[in-house]
Amino acid sequence: MKKSKIKTCKYPNCNKEVPSDNSLFCMEHRRSLKEKRHVVGTAIGSLAFLGATTLANSIKKKKI
Ligand SMILES: [Zn+2]
């Protein structure tokens, strides 16, 4: 009976242990993904802004 399951990094071809149970990636990939997320987050942020504007416009059109 072994209950402790060691979680490994979800990054392809990486089998390193994750620092904590809620982490999906190892320290190395957490760091690299965090940097990537910053770039992606900015892109998604501007897309969300555009989407919100479009949505607001369509709602306005429906009301009129
Ligand atoms: Zn990794």
Side-chain angles (χ1 to χ4, degrees), residues 18-51:
V18 296
S20 66
D21 276 359
N22 353 335
S23 324
L24 293 173
F25 302 99
C26 67
M27 290 296 268
E28 193 188 321
H29 286 123
R30 259 164 68 123
R31 211 169 131 187
S32 64
L33 283 166
K34 209 175 179 183
E35 280 163 22
K36 268 186 199 167
R37 197 181 293 163
H38 180 71
V39 178
V40 174
T42 314
I44 287 172
S46 47
L47 270 174
F49 178 74
L50 274 172

